[in-house]
Amino acid sequence: MVESEDVRKIARLADIGIDENELTEFTDQCSRILTYFEMLDALPAGSGIDRGLINVFREDEITPSLSQEESLQNAASTENGYFKAPRVM
């Protein structure tokens, strides 16, 4: 069970302001979260469902596209067959 003082200490360490009106709500929420984790800890390790491995990606398909020259024809600036962009740094 989380105490109000625990929540105050966590709020101070996290540098967030919690006023007295919020303190009760956050204390209750933290207690419920820790209770849920205790329920999860009680589960036997490795008791998850084995769903097997499946491939969710589609197969690559070659489709017609622009040539390098066609791709660069409207570029403001090119160099050695590549787009040339201004330096960032």
Side-chain angles (χ1 to χ4, degrees):
M1 182 74 178
V2 176
E3 304 281 330
S4 297
E5 287 304 314
D6 298 328
V7 175
R8 277 193 189 98
K9 182 177 179 179
I10 292 168
R12 190 179 73 252
L13 292 172
D15 195 23
I16 55 175
I18 294 179
D19 60 25
E20 291 300 318
N21 298 334
E22 297 173 313
L23 188 60
T24 304
E25 180 181 359
F26 281 113
T27 303
D28 181 52
Q29 288 177 357
C30 288
S31 292
R32 284 188 283 142
I33 290 168
L34 290 179
T35 301
Y36 185 70
F37 276 107
E38 287 172 2
M39 289 172 30
L40 293 176
D41 286 340
L43 293 174
S47 65
I49 299 171
D50 183 17
R51 300 180 190 264
L53 297 176
I54 58 170
N55 184 2
V56 295
F57 298 107
R58 63 170 172 76
E59 293 295 322
D60 290 336
E61 296 176 13
I62 298 174
T63 58
S65 61
L66 298 174
S67 68
Q68 186 173 9
E69 292 80 24
E70 290 172 321
S71 298
L72 295 173
Q73 73 184 19
N74 291 326
S77 181
T78 64
E79 184 176 303
N80 297 327
Y82 297 98
F83 291 99
K84 184 175 181 183
R87 290 181 183 228
V88 176
M89 298 176 98

